[in-house]
Amino acid sequence: MAVVEAMEAAAGRFRGCLVGALMGDCLGAPFEGESQTSRSVLNSYFKRLCDPDIKVPYKQYTDDTAMTRCVAVSLIKEKKFNGTDMAKRFVKEYYEEPGRGYGSNVVDVFAALRATKFADVCVPAAMQFGGRGSYGNGGAMRVAPVALFCHAATDQDVTTMAKNSALLTHANRLGYNGAVLQCLAVLEALRTPPNQLDVAKFLQCLTEKMKRVETLGEDEILDKGQKEFEYTSLLSHVAGLLDRGDAVSCQQVEEELGVNIIASESVPTAIYSFLRATNPIPNIEAENAFVRTIHYAIGLGGDTDTIASMAGSIAGAYYGIENVPEGLQRHCEGLEDALHQADQLFELVTSKQISTT
Ligand code: F2R
Ligand code: MG
Ligand code: MG
């Protein structure tokens, strides 16, 4: 019985992760690009969504979910990372539904991948921005299925797969290392036993891993002004802000971590949102810590769909689907697919029919 319960709990965390990513995107999208939203406005927003008597139209998902779905389906079908298959899925998805709010430059990568018939799937991304590659957060926003797929993998294998999945569109080291950090954060949340999250240890663990990830490789070049240990240093900012507790305003988070569409100004912010929301936050009415995470992330303004989606995937992996209110789930376009993909990934991982190397 204990084994069955443990399996159910683990499956619930896979579901929580993908539904958390979806919910952050769907509920955060209406606020993308706006400045901070007051907590009272968001209290009403969440209350209204949870009211069973109120019928509201589906909250549509955006590029974040469109690409996350491609990553999930590719890993499920291929049972390993296959860059060509994943790139083909991104391109097909984009040309079928181009209006999902994609980044303004990544669409050039899709066009080049199609024009070159996927000859070398990393080349178009490497040619972006005069050969420097994109440091947008598009690699990080879609990486959650990689963390689930690599549930039992070594740090080295997780890092390699997260990086390779990002490199299809994001060749700048801030772009792909942002995806690696987001992936490691989801995995750490997934592997932390319920009610045993130690915020300091969580950050310490990510910091140690990112120090290794960010040690400059022979093939890597820093852009002018870029620091070798950018994310390692940003994680120490996250720790500093958390130490200041409720004294930290949204404005200070925006100034010190950022709320923008570039990876280094959104991935640490998502991690901060998850960790900050483990405790009650003044004027946020939600008692449920998962809901509080999404509420807090959206309230920061800026790239709300993406920051809430990344924070939601970490929170969902930790709290599990049983702590994600159904009243909110029902509003998200693509809910059934997210649940199904989470179940398929769980089945693959537990049956060990996959390759993570
Ligand atoms: N694109 C958006 N939001 C804006 C419009 C949405 C609107 N609601 C609508 O419906 O139309 N959101 C989505 O984009 C972000 C992910 O972007 P991604 O995939 O990283 O794209 P891209 O184009 O590679 O990079 C984004 C921008 O970052 C700047 N940038 C990146 N690398 C750069 C470099 N090396 N040098 C200079 N700038 C660089 C550029 O401004 C890129 O356009 C998510 O928020 C997703 O939700
Ligand atoms: Mg989006
Ligand atoms: Mg966004």
Side-chain angles (χ1 to χ4, degrees), residues 177 181 206-214 231-232:
N177 280 343
L181 173 56
L206 286 184
T207 303
E208 279 165 18
K209 291 181 181 183
M210 285 311 289
K211 260 188 208 156
R212 288 194 284 276
V213 168
E214 292 196 284
Y231 287 105
T232 309

Side-chain angles (χ1 to χ4, degrees), residues 98-129:
R100 293 274 184 189
Y102 284 83
S104 46
N105 291 76
V106 73
V107 300
D108 297 340
V109 177
F110 301 144
L113 281 166
R114 187 164 78 161
T116 56
K117 297 193 168 50
F118 303 89
D120 183 338
V121 286
C122 288
V123 166
M127 289 166 71
Q128 290 285 89
F129 296 97

Side-chain angles (χ1 to χ4, degrees), residues 337-350:
D337 289 341
L339 290 168
H340 185 53
Q341 286 159 10
D343 291 346
Q344 285 178 301
L345 283 166
F346 183 72
E347 218 175 290
L348 275 181
V349 165
T350 45

Side-chain angles (χ1 to χ4, degrees), residues 169-191:
T169 48
H170 291 69
N172 190 286
R173 75 191 297 272
L174 283 183
Y176 60 73
N177 280 343
V180 172
L181 173 56
Q182 171 63 17
C183 189
L184 291 172
V186 172
L187 201 47
E188 192 59 27
L190 197 65
R191 288 172 176 171

Side-chain angles (χ1 to χ4, degrees), residues 55-88:
K55 301 262 175 296
V56 290
Y58 255 157
K59 299 274 175 213
Q60 291 188 332
Y61 66 76
T62 76
D63 58 329
D64 305 52
T65 301
M67 298 193 83
T68 302
R69 289 157 59 106
C70 293
V71 173
V73 174
S74 179
L75 293 173
I76 291 163
K77 297 265 188 253
E78 295 294 309
K79 299 188 174 58
K80 63 178 183 185
F81 173 75
N82 176 339
T84 305
D85 179 80
M86 203 175 276
K88 283 182 178 170

Side-chain angles (χ1 to χ4, degrees), residues 241-255:
L241 286 171
L242 287 166
D243 284 345
R244 285 154 56 197
D246 290 338
V248 176
S249 67
C250 292
Q251 191 57 38
Q252 284 166 323
V253 175
E254 181 176 346
E255 284 163 13

